[in-house]
Amino acid sequence: MNRLRRKACVALLLFTLFIFGTMMGLRTLKPTDGFSDLAPGMELMPLVGERMDQRPNNVAESAGQNGGVGSDTKIVFSNSGPDHSIFYDIHIFYYLWYGSPQMDGSYIHWDHVLVPHWDPKIASSHPKGRHSPPDDIASSYYPELGPYSSRDPDVIESHMAQIEAAAAGVVVLSWYPPGVADEHGKPTEDLVPAVMDAAHRHSIKVAFHLQPYKGRTDLSVHDNIKYIIDKYGKHGAFYRFKSSAGKILPLFYVYDSYLTPPETWAELLTVRGSHSLRGTPYDGIFIALIVEERHKQDILAGGFDGMYTYFASNGFSFGSSHQNWKAIKAFCDKNNLLFVPSAGPGYIDTAVRPWNNHNTRNRVNGRYYETSLQAAMSIRPDIITVTSFNEWHEGTQIEKAVPKKTVARLYLDYKPHQPDHYLELTRKWAEHFSKEKEQWLM
């Protein structure tokens, strides 16, 4: 009997030691450099408690690569109160393509068509047609503002207030030239002044996201850059970036840049190009989209200043896969390029592409977003972009959404959290990013 008791005690002691050792081991684990779609059980970085010291309201640029002491993250405090700070190294993609009958005569984009698959066999097994707002909109989520118009001044003001609450200092405005629009929308360039004025009221800066349009060439982009700088360059909300060389220049994101050959871009973006912008009043920091791995060399050859990933679906492309960001960052560092990773709260575009369910990324109540932001921060970038504020079709929005159920539709929502959950998470990580950058520069 005594022998059995001793054996039981030894077994219990060994089991206790095993549990203790396992717990201590888990506490010391750190996330790997590559992240899966969601790292289950990953400890998320804590909320930063204290903010940096107040800076003047007129600070306009954010730091460039390897910026020296005093040129790190710029912060402005808005006119809405001492507790609201803005971080200019958090950029958020913003869309102006929505319309409503009250402001535009009809719904625009909320009634988006269901895009058919390119394979007729696959297309035949999915629904066709278009959405019918206001109860049936082209999104899996429903905005708190309803199916709004981007022309509504109250909507623009609400959006800038939400972005300010999220502490994202730069709105990256999806831009088409005057009179030009995406295939499902209407021209919106005339709305840019209203957005810039509203942004300025909230101490937010505006950068431009050059969209692909029919006939876009290096020559037309030359004219686009000249137009933007001539028209908006003196506005208080116009964003400029401080480069590693100390130059303070406008920053432009170029979507689907890979559609134009690198040798063509080089005519615009290298010093020896036939119509080069370099060294002229229209010079800038030009950031290309990396989708495939081969695009790294194309971006370098084209004379771009950096690359961004845009897509919020981890694993969708080489560029959007978190596990590749360390290698891309190393390539950029070696070649004196900026690498700007894009973090997103999730992805679901089946309201417009019903056959694309395999690219859906569940939000998991915000954990996917935090994992994505941590992955971005782990490579020590100069800027982190957020995809997106209001790309509702692809379910990447952090704009306020509300629960909604109709006879035919049950929309996703942010429960058990409040409609501003993703704004709060963005602020939390913007503050953390700022603190981390302070440590990197020490």
Side-chain angles (χ1 to χ4, degrees):
M1 183 66 75
N2 289 335
R3 184 179 299 173
L4 287 174
R5 285 198 188 97
R6 283 197 297 272
K7 286 183 176 180
C9 289
V10 170
L12 181 59
L13 177 62
L14 290 173
F15 180 75
T16 303
L17 289 171
F18 172 78
I19 294 298
F20 178 78
T22 301
M23 294 300 293
M24 291 302 293
L26 288 173
R27 285 175 64 86
T28 60
L29 284 177
K30 294 181 179 179
T32 59
D33 290 324
F35 293 81
S36 62
D37 289 352
L38 184 72
M42 185 180 69
E43 262 188 274
L44 297 170
M45 293 183 180
L47 175 64
V48 176
E50 298 297 323
R51 295 190 175 90
M52 292 173 65
D53 295 336
Q54 185 166 336
R55 304 278 183 91
N57 270 344
N58 62 356
V59 174
E61 76 278 358
S62 72
Q65 294 184 97
N66 306 317
V69 176
S71 67
D72 57 329
T73 309
K74 298 295 188 293
I75 302 175
V76 293
F77 279 71
S78 74
N79 55 13
S80 62
D83 290 334
H84 285 234
S85 52
I86 297 287
F87 300 91
Y88 286 105
D89 45 16
I90 301 294
H91 297 188
I92 187 164
F93 295 110
Y94 182 80
Y95 293 86
L96 274 175
W97 55 27
Y98 300 106
S100 69
Q102 295 81 3
M103 300 295 296
D104 306 271
S106 64
Y107 285 108
I108 304 173
H109 265 269
W110 299 115
D111 65 343
H112 202 288
V113 298
L114 294 167
V115 179
H117 194 276
W118 53 86
D119 184 334
K121 291 182 180 179
I122 297 175
S124 65
S125 62
H126 292 284
K128 301 175 180 63
R130 69 186 312 125
H131 290 277
S132 180
D135 287 338
D136 172 30
I137 66 170
S139 173
S140 294
Y141 293 86
Y142 204 85
E144 184 181 67
L145 296 175
Y148 54 75
S149 170
S150 296
R151 292 186 175 275
D152 188 336
D154 292 336
V155 168
I156 295 173
E157 186 66 25
S158 173
H159 284 175
M160 295 305 120
Q162 290 183 52
I163 292 168
E164 179 188 25
V170 179
V171 164
V172 183
L173 189 62
S174 181
W175 187 85
Y176 291 88
V180 181
D182 70 281
E183 61 178 315
H184 301 288
K186 294 181 179 180
T188 58
E189 208 287 324
D190 60 312
L191 299 181
V192 175
V195 173
M196 296 193 75
D197 289 346
H200 191 53
R201 289 193 293 272
H202 292 271
S203 298
I204 295 167
K205 303 300 176 185
V206 177
F208 289 79
H209 197 191
L210 306 183
Q211 295 296 316
Y213 51 84
K214 187 176 181 181
R216 186 179 80 175
T217 66
D218 53 319
L219 288 169
S220 70
V221 171
H222 181 284
D223 293 342
N224 298 157
I225 298 301
K226 186 176 185 298
Y227 174 89
I228 290 170
I229 292 176
D230 284 346
K231 186 167 184 178
Y232 304 116
K234 294 182 180 179
H235 195 288
F238 191 75
Y239 176 70
R240 287 179 171 85
F241 181 85
K242 188 173 183 180
S243 72
S244 58
K247 293 182 179 180
I248 299 174
L249 296 170
L251 186 146
F252 298 93
Y253 293 89
V254 184
Y255 191 70
D256 279 359
S257 49
Y258 58 85
L259 295 176
T260 301
E263 57 270 21
T264 303
W265 283 124
E267 297 295 333
L268 181 70
L269 300 178
T270 62
V271 174
R272 296 181 180 178
S274 59
H275 41 275
S276 175
L277 293 170
R278 301 307 188 187
T280 75
Y282 304 105
D283 201 354
I285 306 295
F286 298 93
I287 311 297
L289 178 66
I290 176 170
V291 179
E292 300 177 16
E293 185 172 10
R294 63 183 175 87
H295 292 157
K296 292 188 299 183
Q297 292 293 343
D298 291 345
I299 290 167
L300 180 63
F304 284 94
D305 302 284
M307 56 191 77
Y308 73 115
T309 62
Y310 185 77
F311 299 108
S313 183
N314 182 20
F316 168 72
S317 68
F318 172 84
S320 71
S321 298
H322 302 169
Q323 65 180 1
N324 297 328
W325 287 356
K326 184 178 180 181
I328 299 172
K329 178 63 159 57
F331 175 87
C332 288
D333 288 348
K334 181 180 178 181
N335 292 285
N336 196 31
L337 299 173
L338 285 166
F339 177 49
V340 184
S342 302
Y347 187 92
I348 179 168
D349 68 354
T350 51
V352 291
R353 302 181 189 99
W355 38 265
N356 199 33
N357 189 59
H358 61 282
N359 280 316
T360 295
R361 300 294 182 267
N362 195 307
R363 293 192 175 214
V364 201
N365 296 327
R367 285 183 62 213
Y368 181 93
Y369 192 29
E370 298 202 81
T371 300
S372 181
L373 287 162
Q374 186 170 2
M377 197 182 303
S378 72
I379 61 165
R380 298 189 172 190
D382 292 281
I383 296 168
I384 293 175
T385 51
V386 173
T387 307
S388 63
F389 178 74
N390 64 338
E391 219 297 8
W392 288 90
H393 303 316
E394 295 181 346
T396 63
Q397 80 290 335
I398 66 167
E399 182 183 353
K400 293 180 181 180
V402 292
K404 186 175 178 66
K405 182 180 180 180
T406 70
V407 173
R409 296 281 306 268
L410 175 61
Y411 291 89
L412 300 174
D413 55 57
Y414 302 163
K415 285 186 173 181
H417 302 289
Q418 297 299 310
D420 64 352
H421 179 55
Y422 291 93
L423 304 176
E424 291 182 350
L425 288 179
T426 305
R427 169 171 287 279
K428 166 186 170 179
W429 284 84
E431 291 174 340
H432 196 91
F433 187 38
S434 176
K435 285 289 186 181
E436 286 290 300
K437 290 183 82 171
E438 280 189 310
Q439 295 299 315
W440 302 342
L441 292 165
M442 289 178 65

